[in-house]
Amino acid sequence: MKERKQPYYLILIMPIFYVLLSFVTAKLVQNSGLYPSGVDTLAHLYRGDYLYQSIRNGNFWPFYDTLWYNGMEALRFQAPLASYVLALCQLVGGGSVMNGYLVFVAVIFVAGAASWMYVGFKVKRPFLGAFLGTLWFFMPNNLYTLFYEGNLPRSLCIVMLPLLMYWAHDFLKERHWHTIPKLSVCFAFAVLCQPSYAGLIFLAFILYFAAEAIVSREWAAGVRTAAALVLGVMLAGVWFVPSLARGGVSAADFEVLADFFQDIFLTVNPAARFQNGCVDFYFGLAALLLTVFGALLSKKKSLPGFWVGMIILVCTSNMSYHLLSHLPGGQALRMLRFLSIALCMVLFSFLIWDTLKKGWVILFAALLVLDALPSLPSVWGYQSGEEPQKILADYADWTLVDQAQEITEQRLAMVDESALNAMGAYLATGCGEPTAISYGAAGTACATASNFTQIERALEEGEYLYVFDRCLELGNDTVILRMDIVGSFISHPVKEMDRAASAVGYRLVNSNDNYRLYKYNSAGNWGTITKYPAAGIGSGTAQLSRQFPVVQELESGNLNDYSFEDLCDYELIYLNGFTYDDKPSAEALVTKLSEAGVRVVIAADGIPDDRGSQNQSFLGVVCNSVVFSQGYPDLETIDGVLETDLFPDGYREWDTVYVDGLHEIWGNVDNVDWQLPFYGTVKNENIIVIGLNLTYYYGLTEDEGVGQLLSHAMDISSEDLPKREIVPYEIEYTEDRMIIHVDKPGVNTGLGYYDSFEASQEIYSQNHLLHVGSGATVIFYSYPYLGLGILTSMAGTLLTAVYTWHTKRRMGKKTQEMG
C-alpha cells in the first residue's frame, strides 16, 4: 500500500493559526477583569520582574533578594527556568510585568500546541496532532494549573509533556538512539522548571514503562529510557545540587497530602464545573470515556497509556489516600497533580491509535471540546476590562498596605496566614514603592519561614505578646494583623491586642473591620540584642514558646549540638521532642546544667526512643504508654486532687505516657487498684519530668489548675517578655556582598541567615537570623556546592554522550544482525 503524503502545508498554516489564537486568548485574559489570577501567579511574576530588573543592571544571576522573607537567596532554592522565561516575556512586553504575563500566556499556548503538532507529524497523524495542539491549552486541568493555582513553572512543564511522551514511546518501540539526548535535555528543562513536578513525571513514566513491559514482555527498553531521564537530572546538576544542600533552609512545603485527593465523581463530573466553578482538579468525563474505551479496545501500541491514565485517575480518589499515604515516601504522592500527565498519556495513546475508525475519532474529539467549554470562563472572566493595577490598588487600600508603605522604615510584617495568597507579599514589594516584608510566597526557599509561621499561629491562638515580640525580633517596625484569623475564644481580642502591642512598643496607626496597622517608633535600620531567661530544645517547644515569649526556640533539636557554655546562662531549659547522637553525653550535659542551678524541664512524651528499641528512657526515667478517653482521671498532686477539663474536640483519645524512676513524685494518676506517676524530679530538684502530655494539654485548654501545677516546674509567666535592646546599624548592598556597620557585638540584624554567607569576621545564626559583631562586617554572597553542581552537570553531559554512543552502536549491531 502506498504511503500517504504528509500535508506539510500544515507546518505553515497551523503556526500562524496558533499565534493568532494565542493573541486572541491573551486579549481575552487582559480584558477578563481577573488577571493575573491564580494563587501563586503574583509570586512568580515578582520573581520574573526581580530577575528582569537585575539583568537590566548587568546581573544575570542575582544572589540575594532584600525584599522578601528578611532577605533570601534569590534563585538557589527556586527553580530558575520559569523566572528567566518570565523575564524574557517581560522584555517582549515592553518591560511591563503585566504585559509580560500576557506574553507568557501566549507562549504557553503556542509552545504546547507546537509540541502536539510536532508529535502528530512524527506519528503520521498530523491533523489529529494539530487538533490536540489547539485543545491542549484549553484542557480543564491545564487551565486550572495556569489560572487557578497560578503555578507558572508547572504550566511550562506541561508544555513539554507531549515531547517527553513521544520520545519515550519512540525509544521503547523504535529504539532510535537519537532520542536519548532529547529525553535527557527535555527532562533537565523540567527539573529546572519545577523539580517536584519533574519527580511526579518520572514516577508516572516509570508506571508507563512497567505497563509497556507487561504488554510487550520486554523490560530492558523501559529501564534504558528511565536511565535517560535520570541523566537529565544530572544535566541540571549545576543548579539542582546546590538547591538540595539547604543549609538550614526548610525543605518542607507545608502542604497537606489529603488536599491532593478528592472524590473521583468530582474529578470527572462536568456538572460540578457549573456548580463550583473551575476551582477543582478535573480529569474530565470525555477523557474518562476515551480512557475506558481505549483501555478495553485499543491495540498493543496504545494500550499502556490508556491503562496508566486509568490507574492514575483511580489513585486520585479519597479511598486511595488511606493506602498511598502510608507508603514509604507517600508524602510525595500528591496524586491530583498527576492529572495533566495522565491526560497527556491518554491523548497521546489516542493519537497513535491509528486503527481507530474516523467516526470514533471525530466523536471523541467533539466530546473533548464539549468537556472543555465549562472551564473557558477562567480565560475570559467577566470581560470587564478592569486593569490589574486598579485591582491591586484597591486591595492595598483595603489591607492598609498602602499606608504601611508610607510609614515603614525597615520592614513590614503582614500577619494574615496568606489569606490573599501571593498578593499580600506582592502588594508590599511589587506595587508602588517596594517595601521589605517578613513574608513572601516561597516558604521553602528561605530561612525564616518557620519564624513567621509561629507568629501566625500565635495570632490565631490569641498569644499577642508573642506576635509583637517576635515581629520586633524580625526587625519589623510596622505590623498589619488580619482580624479574621484571630481565635474566637478570646473575649476582647482588640483590647488585648492593643495592650500587647503597647507592652512591646508598638502603637495603633489605623484599622478597619478586617485589618489593624501598628507602628514601632524607630528610624533607619536597626537590630536587637536580646536576653532570654529560658530556652526550648526540640520539635515540641514551639507551642510553649508561643504561650511564654521568654522561651527562646533554639534551632537544633539535638542535645549533642550544645555545650555547657552554650546553655548555662539560661535559668530554664525545656526539652520536648529533642534528639541526641550520644545518649550518655546528652545525659551528662543535662545533669551538669542542673547542678549549676539551671532548671531543666523534660516533657516525657518528647523523650526519644532508645536506639534499636521502642523504649523511651532518659536519666533513668522510663516512659510507659497509656491512653485516656474523654479526659484525665483525678490527678493526685502536690497541690491536692486535681480535676481537669475534658479533652478538647478532636482529642478524645489521649495517647500519652506515665513515667517510672522519679526521685520525688509530684503527681500520680490515682486509682483504687494502681497509681501511675507522671510528674516529679529525677537526680535532683532541678531536673523535672512531666508526663501525660500535660504541657500540650495546657496549651490547648489553659486549664487553670494545670497551669498552677506546672508553675512548680517552670517559674515563668505568659506576661513576661525577653529583654530586647534596639541597636541602630548601617547596611549597604551590592551585587556580591552586604556591608553592615554596628557599634555593639552580638546584634541580631533581623536578616535571615544562609550558609552562602562568607564574612570578614565571625557571624552566626540564632533563631534562623543573622547575628554580627561590632564594627564593619563584610558578607560576601557565595554559591555553596557550585563546584559539585558543575561536576555533576559535566558528568551528566559525558554520560549522556557515552550512553547515546553506546545505544547507537548497539542498535547498529542489531540492525546488521537482522540484515
Side-chain angles (χ1 to χ4, degrees):
M1 184 176 177
K2 188 177 180 180
E3 186 175 338
R4 294 179 59 184
K5 290 185 178 180
Q6 292 269 45
Y8 289 107
Y9 59 86
L10 286 180
I11 297 177
L12 177 62
I13 294 174
M14 292 310 298
I16 296 174
F17 173 74
Y18 290 149
V19 169
L20 290 175
L21 190 54
S22 70
F23 178 78
V24 172
T25 302
K27 290 298 292 183
L28 287 172
V29 171
Q30 184 180 29
N31 293 318
S32 66
L34 298 174
Y35 101 99
S37 61
V39 172
D40 292 326
T41 299
L42 287 170
H44 298 298
L45 294 185
Y46 168 80
R47 283 195 287 272
D49 180 56
Y50 171 77
L51 184 58
Y52 171 76
Q53 300 299 340
S54 297
I55 292 173
R56 286 186 64 195
N57 294 324
N59 187 2
F60 287 81
W61 186 270
F63 282 94
Y64 191 71
D65 179 6
T66 63
L67 293 181
W68 274 15
Y69 285 113
N70 297 69
M72 60 183 287
E73 294 184 89
L75 296 174
R76 179 177 167 192
F77 301 115
Q78 289 288 295
L81 185 57
S83 295
Y84 278 94
V85 172
L86 283 165
L88 180 60
C89 291
Q90 188 169 337
L91 175 65
V92 175
S96 164
V97 176
M98 298 307 163
N99 287 346
Y101 171 73
L102 296 173
V103 173
F104 181 83
V105 170
V107 166
I108 291 295
F109 185 105
V110 173
S115 296
W116 278 110
M117 183 177 162
Y118 167 83
V119 174
F121 268 93
K122 298 300 289 186
V123 300
K124 297 182 171 49
R125 305 287 303 277
F127 288 102
L128 185 54
F131 164 76
L132 293 177
T134 307
L135 179 68
W136 186 237
F137 179 87
F138 298 104
M139 290 295 288
N141 204 67
N142 296 346
L143 293 178
Y144 175 85
T145 301
L146 180 59
F147 293 119
Y148 183 77
E149 287 189 299
N151 198 315
L152 308 191
R154 192 179 309 146
S155 293
L156 206 55
C157 284
I158 289 171
V159 164
M160 306 176 194
L161 287 177
L163 298 176
L164 273 172
M165 193 68 228
Y166 166 69
W167 287 325
H169 171 80
D170 180 68
F171 189 77
L172 289 172
K173 293 298 184 183
E174 305 297 335
R175 308 295 198 272
H176 288 147
W177 62 268
H178 50 77
T179 60
I180 292 293
K182 295 175 185 176
L183 275 169
S184 298
V185 171
C186 191
F187 197 69
F189 280 128
V191 172
L192 291 173
C193 277
Q194 193 172 68
S196 60
Y197 195 64
L200 300 186
I201 294 172
F202 183 79
L203 291 177
F205 272 61
I206 291 296
L207 190 59
Y208 179 80
F209 299 152
E212 174 64 32
I214 293 171
V215 172
S216 65
R217 299 183 181 179
E218 204 278 315
W219 291 84
V223 174
R224 295 190 187 100
T225 312
L229 299 180
V230 172
L231 289 172
V233 179
M234 294 185 67
L235 290 176
V238 66
W239 171 80
F240 190 55
V241 171
S243 77
L244 291 177
R246 306 193 67 82
V249 176
S250 175
D253 54 7
F254 312 112
E255 292 179 312
V256 179
L257 183 62
D259 293 341
F260 297 95
F261 295 79
Q262 69 185 22
D263 188 336
I264 201 167
F265 183 71
L266 182 62
T267 310
V268 299
N269 180 14
R273 314 291 288 168
F274 295 102
Q275 297 167 3
N276 304 332
C278 304
V279 295
D280 299 301
F281 291 91
Y282 187 64
F283 186 79
L285 180 60
L288 174 63
L289 294 174
L290 176 59
T291 303
V292 173
F293 188 77
L296 296 177
L297 299 175
S298 69
K299 304 300 181 183
K300 279 188 176 182
K301 183 168 64 172
S302 53
L303 200 60
F306 286 123
W307 273 105
V308 172
M310 177 73 73
I311 292 169
I312 289 176
L313 176 61
V314 171
C315 288
T316 64
S317 66
N318 289 327
M319 188 184 306
S320 299
Y321 164 72
H322 300 289
L323 172 64
L324 296 177
S325 61
H326 290 92
L327 293 177
Q331 186 62 32
L333 297 177
R334 299 180 175 95
M335 292 306 304
L336 286 170
R337 285 185 175 166
F338 281 89
L339 283 183
S340 286
I341 307 170
L343 285 165
C344 180
M345 290 184 173
V346 169
L347 294 180
F348 178 77
S349 296
F350 180 45
L351 180 63
I352 62 175
W353 188 1
D354 50 13
T355 59
L356 185 63
K357 299 296 184 182
K358 185 179 292 185
W360 286 107
V361 173
I362 294 173
L363 173 62
F364 281 115
L367 290 175
L368 288 168
V369 170
L370 289 174
D371 208 17
L373 292 179
S375 295
L376 293 183
S378 60
V379 176
W380 62 57
Y382 308 120
Q383 286 299 295
S384 64
E386 190 171 12
E387 292 289 331
Q389 291 80 1
K390 173 65 168 57
I391 297 172
L392 292 171
D394 289 343
Y395 273 103
D397 176 63
W398 176 58
T399 59
L400 306 180
V401 168
D402 54 355
Q403 187 173 353
Q405 286 178 305
E406 294 175 1
I407 63 175
T408 299
E409 294 281 342
Q410 177 166 262
R411 191 171 298 113
L412 163 67
M414 189 170 182
V415 191
D416 67 347
E417 287 190 339
S418 297
L420 299 178
N421 303 313
M423 184 186 289
Y426 192 84
L427 290 175
T429 57
C431 298
E433 186 66 27
T435 302
I437 190 169
S438 277
Y439 206 47
T444 56
C446 73
T448 57
S450 59
N451 299 53
F452 212 77
T453 300
Q454 273 281 85
I455 291 172
E456 291 181 323
R457 287 286 304 276
L459 178 61
E460 184 180 344
E461 296 167 357
E463 307 293 353
Y464 305 130
L465 278 174
Y466 182 95
V467 170
F468 288 103
D469 179 72
R470 294 316 194 256
C471 282
L472 190 68
E473 180 184 47
L474 289 171
N476 296 287
D477 57 303
T478 51
V479 177
I480 295 176
L481 303 183
R482 184 179 174 98
M483 299 302 294
D484 290 356
I485 64 175
V486 173
S488 59
F489 52 86
I490 304 298
S491 301
H492 303 285
V494 171
K495 181 179 178 180
E496 290 297 313
M497 196 178 292
D498 290 348
R499 184 181 67 83
S502 179
V504 177
Y506 289 89
R507 60 181 175 83
L508 180 68
V509 174
N510 198 0
S511 66
N512 56 33
D513 291 341
N514 299 285
Y515 292 91
R516 297 179 73 78
L517 170 61
Y518 296 88
K519 179 73 173 74
Y520 189 85
N521 186 22
S522 63
N525 295 112
W526 50 271
T528 55
I529 296 176
T530 305
K531 172 64 176 176
Y532 285 96
I537 299 176
S539 59
T541 62
Q543 182 183 46
L544 187 79
S545 181
R546 295 195 299 270
Q547 293 173 269
F548 301 96
V550 291
V551 178
Q552 179 185 12
E553 305 152 66
L554 299 185
E555 288 186 27
S556 174
N558 190 324
L559 275 177
N560 296 130
D561 288 341
Y562 301 98
S563 66
F564 174 78
E565 289 72 22
D566 292 332
L567 303 177
C568 64
D569 290 335
Y570 292 103
E571 299 171 14
L572 169 70
I573 302 291
Y574 176 69
L575 304 179
N576 188 351
F578 63 96
T579 62
Y580 50 73
D581 300 318
D582 181 348
K583 184 177 181 180
S585 176
E587 291 178 324
L589 173 63
V590 171
T591 302
K592 186 177 180 180
L593 287 168
S594 69
E595 291 172 348
V598 179
R599 178 67 63 93
V600 181
V601 178
I602 305 172
D605 294 85
I607 293 176
D609 293 339
D610 293 333
R611 191 164 297 173
S613 74
Q614 297 296 313
N615 298 322
Q616 292 175 268
S617 67
F618 195 70
L619 293 170
V621 171
V622 178
C623 302
N624 304 282
S625 297
V626 63
V627 179
F628 299 110
S629 296
Q630 306 300 323
Y632 292 121
D634 289 345
L635 305 179
E636 184 181 299
T637 74
I638 54 176
D639 293 325
V641 177
L642 178 61
E643 296 181 2
T644 62
D645 296 330
L646 294 176
F647 299 142
D649 291 339
Y651 297 90
R652 293 308 185 191
E653 295 296 316
W654 198 262
D655 192 353
T656 183
V657 299
Y658 67 95
V659 294
D660 289 323
L662 294 174
H663 173 70
E664 182 180 354
I665 297 175
W666 291 355
N668 277 301
V669 179
D670 198 17
N671 189 282
V672 176
D673 300 319
W674 40 255
Q675 287 187 331
L676 306 179
F678 67 88
Y679 186 27
T681 64
V682 59
K683 288 190 175 292
N684 61 60
E685 63 180 8
N686 279 333
I687 304 178
I688 301 168
V689 177
I690 304 173
L692 304 191
N693 219 352
L694 210 60
T695 54
Y696 185 63
Y697 169 83
Y698 178 67
L700 294 175
T701 64
E702 297 192 1
D703 184 288
E704 186 175 339
V706 173
Q708 183 177 344
L709 180 64
L710 293 178
S711 67
H712 291 284
M714 296 180 284
D715 187 18
I716 54 178
S717 168
S718 60
E719 296 296 313
D720 294 338
L721 291 168
K723 297 178 180 178
R724 298 197 189 275
E725 177 188 355
I726 302 299
V727 181
Y729 66 79
E730 296 179 0
I731 187 166
E732 177 185 351
Y733 295 103
T734 67
E735 287 184 5
D736 64 344
R737 73 193 71 180
M738 69 174 84
I739 305 170
I740 301 173
H741 297 267
V742 65
D743 294 333
K744 295 186 178 182
V747 173
N748 161 33
T749 62
L751 301 172
Y753 179 91
Y754 295 93
D755 63 352
S756 59
F757 291 165
E758 294 182 356
S760 61
Q761 63 173 329
E762 183 183 3
I763 59 175
Y764 61 94
S765 172
Q766 195 172 87
N767 202 18
H768 313 292
L769 297 171
L770 171 67
H771 289 64
V772 299
S774 60
T777 303
V778 182
I779 300 174
F780 296 91
Y781 310 138
S782 66
Y783 200 75
Y785 307 97
L786 178 60
L788 181 58
I790 292 173
L791 286 176
T792 302
S793 289
M794 292 174 63
T797 303
L798 178 62
L799 288 174
T800 302
V802 170
Y803 188 45
T804 303
W805 174 82
H806 173 75
T807 304
K808 180 181 179 181
R809 186 179 178 189
R810 188 172 180 276
M811 293 302 107
K813 285 184 177 180
K814 280 195 172 184
T815 303
Q816 290 178 2
E817 291 172 0
M818 291 174 63

